[in-house]
């Protein structure tokens, strides 16, 4: 039997690449595995040989020590691969299929799944609705920054690519379907982006850049991306966005210089709970800054899409309230402007098939937009380190040498 090897969290600031067990069709005891899930049979699952698996900003929150993630947790929830083995209950997915794995783990049977709310499936995490691979408090499903990964409810969860050769030609683009492309798109859809919209996207990391590409795909007239990082802002400009350097002060003034109006139709938060301040406060964390800024710059009657991650527990927060996810949000401002707020995990399956078709038919170049950069699995610690330092790249790991990195 093949062995397995992947990326393991070993404490704040430290990830290692090491060997561990090949997946089987049963959840075993291990770091982060919910005790109620230990021994759970997975006859409906597939074992996927990983072609591409991405480093995500959500992974970085754990690696920075900003969650309660246990040491020894196998990381990774952005997975694209080839099916190599099926459980006895898998009927439609076949060995050899090239597939995208939504980062949400969902059963397809509960009320929320039937309502296409796959980010809050009721049956895969004993503690709370919603689950993901290799993530803290998400049920303990083993992560996919590895050579092989178990995918439960495979017939439901896996998105099969229609043509293997064509898919491999666009594999870096298709690798974004597991999370950041649908997540950025969801942020825009829930914010109401449509033909002719003006949009302000806070954050020029991979999710923010994916949101910017999504806004253009949806027909926005002007897409403005705000960040502190000059390289990431340059990446946003490379595919037609306007940019705001929030280290220079309140985005409102810069938006007015771009649009002739200080308010936009739609706002997207692609930053989340590790937000920094603006202007002179840019060097320190102010976790409510992005939400408050978005309320200020979005027109009355508009909406905020909030795909950026917010948590109920942050051991590294600057104050006691933020450690519990309590932020000083100007809700009165949002109420006075009749703003709508849309939060939570993106339900990837709501969008991934349509976005796959957009990629395959050359309607979008998402890998170019986020500067997808493949590296060997063994270089994952370097990828994490450089991404944490602000590299304007989306690192894609190549566990089985199928992307040509080794």
């Amino acid at each position: 039997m093949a062995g397995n090897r992947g990326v393991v969290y070993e404490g704040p600031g430290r990830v290692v690449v090491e060997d561990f067990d090949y997946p089987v069709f049963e959840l075993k005891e291990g770091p982060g595995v919910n005790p109620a899930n230990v021994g759970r049979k997975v006859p409906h699952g597939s074992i996927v040989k990983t072609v591409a698996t991405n480093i995500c900003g959500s992974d970085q929150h754990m690696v920075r020590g900003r969650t309660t993630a246990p040491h020894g947790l196998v990381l990774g929830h952005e997975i694209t691969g080839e099916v190599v083995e099926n459980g006895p209950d898998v009927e439609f997915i076949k060995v050899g299929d090239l597939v995208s794995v939504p980062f949400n783990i969902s059963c397809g049977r509960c009320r929320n799944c039937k309502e296409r709310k796959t980010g809050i499936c009721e049956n895969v995490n004993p503690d709370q609705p919603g689950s993901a691979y290799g993530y803290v408090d998400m049920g303990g499903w083993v992560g996919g920054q590895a050579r092989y990964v178990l995918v439960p409810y495979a017939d439901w969860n896996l998105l099969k690519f229609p043509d293997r050769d064509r898919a491999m030609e666009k594999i870096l683009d298709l690798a974004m379907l597991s999370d950041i492309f649908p997540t950025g798109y969801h942020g825009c859809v829930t914010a109401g982006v449509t033909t002719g919209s003006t949009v302000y996207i806070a954050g020029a990391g991979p999710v923010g850049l994916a949101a910017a590409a999504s806004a253009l795909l949806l027909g926005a007239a002007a897409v403005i991306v705000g960040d502190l990082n000059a390289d990431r802002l340059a990446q946003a400009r490379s595919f037609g966005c306007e940019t705001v350097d929030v280290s220079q002060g309140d985005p409102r003034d810069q938006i007015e210089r771009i649009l002739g109006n200080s308010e936009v139709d739609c706002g997207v938060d692609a930053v989340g709970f590790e937000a920094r301040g603006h202007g002179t406060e840019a060097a320190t964390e102010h976790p409510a800054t992005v939400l408050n800024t978005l309320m200020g710059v979005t027109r009355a009657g508009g909406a905020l899409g909030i795909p950026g991650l917010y948590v109920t527990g942050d051991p590294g927060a600057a104050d006691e309230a933020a450690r519990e996810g309590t932020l000083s949000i100007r809700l009165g401002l949002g109420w006075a402007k009749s703003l709508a707020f849309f939060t939570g995990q993106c339900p990837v399956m709501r969008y991934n098939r349509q976005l796959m078709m957009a990629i395959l038919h050359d309607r979008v170049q998402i890998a170019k937009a986020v500067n997808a950069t493949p590296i060997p699995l063994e270089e994952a610690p370097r990828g994490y380190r450089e991404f944490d330092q602000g590299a304007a790249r989306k690192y894609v790991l190549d566990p089985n040498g199928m992307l040509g990195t080794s």
Side-chain angles (χ1 to χ4, degrees), residues 38-60:
V38 174
R40 182 172 181 163
K41 307 295 184 185
V42 191
H44 42 70
S46 293
I47 294 173
V48 172
K49 178 180 179 180
T50 306
V51 175
T53 177
N54 316 329
I55 296 175
C56 181
S58 298
D59 299 320
Q60 285 285 14

Side-chain angles (χ1 to χ4, degrees), residues 33-158:
V33 180
N34 190 298
N37 261 348
V38 174
R40 182 172 181 163
K41 307 295 184 185
V42 191
H44 42 70
S46 293
I47 294 173
V48 172
K49 178 180 179 180
T50 306
V51 175
T53 177
N54 316 329
I55 296 175
C56 181
S58 298
D59 299 320
Q60 285 285 14
H61 294 309
M62 291 188 289
V63 173
R64 292 184 188 124
R66 299 299 294 268
T67 71
T68 57
H71 296 194
L73 183 72
V74 180
L75 299 173
H77 56 270
E78 300 190 14
I79 308 159
T80 307
E82 177 188 357
V83 176
V84 294
E85 189 176 351
N86 282 327
D89 291 352
V90 177
E91 184 176 0
F92 304 111
I93 290 292
K94 306 300 181 185
V95 170
D97 286 348
L98 200 62
V99 295
S100 178
V101 184
F103 82 89
N104 322 109
I105 301 172
S106 57
C107 71
R109 296 157 166 80
C110 70
R111 173 180 176 174
N112 285 339
C113 284
K114 289 178 179 179
E115 293 177 357
R116 301 183 76 193
K117 300 172 183 175
T118 54
I120 44 174
C121 173
E122 298 173 335
N123 289 330
V124 287
N125 183 355
D127 281 342
Q128 62 193 33
S131 188
Y133 304 88
Y135 211 83
V136 60
D137 297 332
M138 288 291 185
W141 300 87
V142 178
Q145 286 175 10
R147 289 177 178 165
Y148 299 93
V149 64
L150 172 67
V151 176
Y153 303 102
D155 280 328
W156 165 254
N157 280 308
L158 293 178

Side-chain angles (χ1 to χ4, degrees), residues 179-222:
D179 183 353
I180 67 163
F181 192 11
T183 293
Y185 192 85
H186 179 63
C188 290
V189 168
T190 54
V193 178
T194 188
T195 305
S197 297
T198 57
V199 187
Y200 177 62
I201 296 169
V207 170
L209 295 172
S214 298
L216 293 171
L217 184 63
L218 287 163

